[in-house]
Amino acid sequence: MIEPFRDYLREHNLPVTAQRLAVAEVVLGSAEHLSAEEVRRELFVKHMAVGTATVYRTLELLVRSGLAVERDFGEGFRRYEPARDVPHHEHLLCTSCGNVHEFRDERLERMTTLIAESSGFVRQRHRLVIYGLCESCQRGSGRQLAPSAVQREATRR
Amino acid sequence: MIEPFRDYLREHNLPVTAQRLAVAEVVLGSAEHLSAEEVRRELFVKHMAVGTATVYRTLELLVRSGLAVERDFGEGFRRYEPARDVPHHEHLLCTSCGNVHEFRDERLERMTTLIAESSGFVRQRHRLVIYGLCESCQRGSGRQLAPSAVQREATRR
DNA sequence: CTCATTGCAAAGGATTTGCACTAAT
DNA sequence: ATTAGTGCAAATCCTTTGCAATGAG
């Protein structure tokens, strides 16, 4: 799981530290889209506390290495997920509980390229987030753990 | 231009102040997607300086009134644009100069609703941003004024 | 042993909030 | 007169950076 990161560090002559491996283990081993704060907290409960700055610095390394991907769902902070084999996918974000669901739609790649072209742009990438209510939140059994920003936006009259 | 906002304030028994009208005039009269900072600066050069807090508070009012729309392009701050007649549209952001181009695609509304449904979600809204290079930047004549965050993401190796 | 990393604390940028002061109704 | 808005500064949130102490190679 974290071997590829260890390799990356070695190949780039970067010290392989316990902190880096700990952060990598949490991020790459998670099925979630974690924020830096969540990573830090998870390490803390595992009795492997790592300084905030180091968490951020390691997240950057993980992104550079291509092993993790950075996401911005407009919540006011960034999230990180392991960069599995999946080339590109989109996200569904529950505005009530903050749950993130992934999906893939090949049409989007082509669509966005064509749209960009018709405006004279050369497409580099795109980002689609669909905001809605997940099943449990529709039934009123949601967890209500949504991060402030999403909450804010969802509640805003 | 700002009459609808004046009406909105009156209808809601909110004081019509010079500051509110000044902010509204800048935001609603602009063809750009302005940040709070840009609004504040524009007011300053017009010799109508308004406190930062008031700018933010008025932007919130403009959004509430439905006369302006809030956007988050992942730059680290929010932008505001007048909510013209257009029901919903997407954005193309030039990663070099920061220019924003709008486009509309009716398919997206339907697509995202169906995608959400197939995951058990009830769609509320969506956000699509296509990042790319605009015509002038492709020719190397771009302005290079992109906000830090976009720059950061575009440059990141 | 040397140089990069770590962690703390301070700094930063965007946004919000407390509060005395001022202005709209 | 009331009540709400304004602006300043302090506070917050997420993230970055300076720097002395520490650890990897």
Side-chain angles (χ1 to χ4, degrees), chain B residues 81-98:
Chain B
E81 62 168 307
R84 288 141 299 173
D85 46 348
V86 195
H88 180 75
H89 55 267
E90 320 296 342
H91 297 88
L92 263 159
L93 178 63
C94 178
T95 55
S96 175
C97 68

Side-chain angles (χ1 to χ4, degrees), chain A residues 8 12 60 63-64 70 72-75 78 92-95 99 101 103 105 107-108 111-112 115-116 119-135 138 152-154 156-157, chain B residues 8 12 60 63-64 70 72-75 78 92-95 99 101 103 105 107-108 111-112 115-116 119-135 138 152-154 156-157:
Chain A
Y8 173 84
H12 292 255
E60 195 182 327
V63 171
R64 273 206 223 287
E70 187 179 280
D72 180 346
F73 297 145
E75 301 167 289
R78 305 180 208 145
L92 261 159
L93 178 63
C94 178
T95 55
N99 254 354
H101 192 277
F103 69 91
D105 195 316
R107 287 173 294 177
L108 281 164
M111 262 182 80
T112 53
I115 289 168
S119 295
F121 277 64
V122 170
R123 191 201 97 113
Q124 293 175 327
R125 60 206 153 85
H126 74 265
R127 193 174 69 178
L128 172 65
V129 182
I130 304 178
Y131 300 87
L133 284 179
C134 72
E135 283 187 295
Q138 287 169 49
R152 193 206 308 146
E153 211 178 325
R156 186 169 283 165
R157 207 257 328 208
Chain B
Y8 173 84
H12 291 257
E60 196 181 328
V63 172
R64 271 204 224 290
E70 187 180 281
D72 180 344
F73 298 144
E75 300 167 288
R78 305 179 207 144
L92 263 159
L93 178 63
C94 178
T95 55
N99 255 355
H101 193 277
F103 68 91
D105 195 316
R107 288 173 295 178
L108 281 164
M111 262 181 78
T112 53
I115 289 168
S119 295
F121 276 63
V122 170
R123 190 200 96 115
Q124 293 175 326
R125 59 206 154 84
H126 74 265
R127 190 176 72 179
L128 171 65
V129 182
I130 304 178
Y131 300 86
L133 284 179
C134 70
E135 285 189 293
Q138 287 169 48
R152 192 205 307 145
E153 212 177 323
R156 186 170 280 162
R157 205 259 333 209

Side-chain angles (χ1 to χ4, degrees), chain A:
Chain A
M1 188 102 267
I2 60 175
E3 289 317 314
F5 187 50
R6 200 192 287 273
D7 294 344
Y8 173 84
L9 293 174
R10 276 200 280 254
E11 285 164 18
H12 292 255
N13 291 310
L14 297 170
V16 176
T17 67
Q19 291 89 330
R20 284 179 172 167
L21 295 181
V23 171
E25 197 174 321
V26 168
V27 176
L28 302 183
S30 172
E32 312 271 316
H33 298 67
L34 302 172
S35 64
E37 170 56 24
E38 287 167 337
V39 171
R40 204 199 49 66
R41 188 162 55 244
E42 198 145 323
L43 289 169
F44 186 81
V45 303
K46 282 185 175 176
H47 305 292
M48 301 177 66
V50 171
T52 313
T54 302
V55 170
Y56 278 101
R57 287 186 280 233
T58 306
L59 286 173
E60 195 182 327
L61 274 180
L62 284 167
V63 171
R64 273 206 223 287
S65 74
L67 295 169
V69 179
E70 187 179 280
R71 303 289 179 188
D72 180 346
F73 297 145
E75 301 167 289
F77 54 85
R78 305 180 208 145
R79 292 178 174 278
Y80 298 83
E81 61 167 307
R84 287 141 299 172
D85 46 348
V86 195
H88 180 77
H89 55 268
E90 321 294 340
H91 297 88
L92 261 159
L93 178 63
C94 178
T95 55
S96 175
C97 68
N99 254 354
V100 179
H101 192 277
E102 296 176 354
F103 69 91
R104 174 148 174 68
D105 195 316
E106 321 75 32
R107 287 173 294 177
L108 281 164
E109 212 83 18
R110 211 168 47 251
M111 262 182 80
T112 53
T113 304
L114 293 176
I115 289 168
E117 270 173 19
S118 67
S119 295
F121 277 64
V122 170
R123 191 201 97 113
Q124 293 175 327
R125 60 206 153 85
H126 74 265
R127 193 174 69 178
L128 172 65
V129 182
I130 304 178
Y131 300 87
L133 284 179
C134 72
E135 283 187 295
S136 61
C137 287
Q138 287 169 49
R139 292 196 308 269
S141 50
R143 289 183 291 114
Q144 285 300 334
L145 294 177
S148 54
V150 174
Q151 208 57 275
R152 193 206 308 146
E153 211 178 325
T155 316
R156 186 169 283 165
R157 207 257 328 208

Side-chain angles (χ1 to χ4, degrees), chain B residues 9-81:
Chain B
L9 293 174
R10 277 201 278 253
E11 284 163 20
H12 291 257
N13 291 310
L14 296 170
V16 177
T17 66
Q19 290 91 330
R20 284 179 173 167
L21 295 181
V23 171
E25 197 174 319
V26 167
V27 176
L28 303 183
S30 172
E32 312 271 316
H33 299 66
L34 302 172
S35 64
E37 171 56 21
E38 288 167 337
V39 171
R40 203 198 51 64
R41 189 162 55 244
E42 196 145 325
L43 288 170
F44 186 81
V45 304
K46 283 185 176 178
H47 305 292
M48 299 177 67
V50 171
T52 313
T54 301
V55 169
Y56 278 102
R57 286 186 282 233
T58 306
L59 286 172
E60 196 181 328
L61 273 180
L62 283 167
V63 172
R64 271 204 224 290
S65 74
L67 295 170
V69 180
E70 187 180 281
R71 304 288 179 190
D72 180 344
F73 298 144
E75 300 167 288
F77 54 85
R78 305 179 207 144
R79 292 179 175 277
Y80 299 83
E81 62 168 307

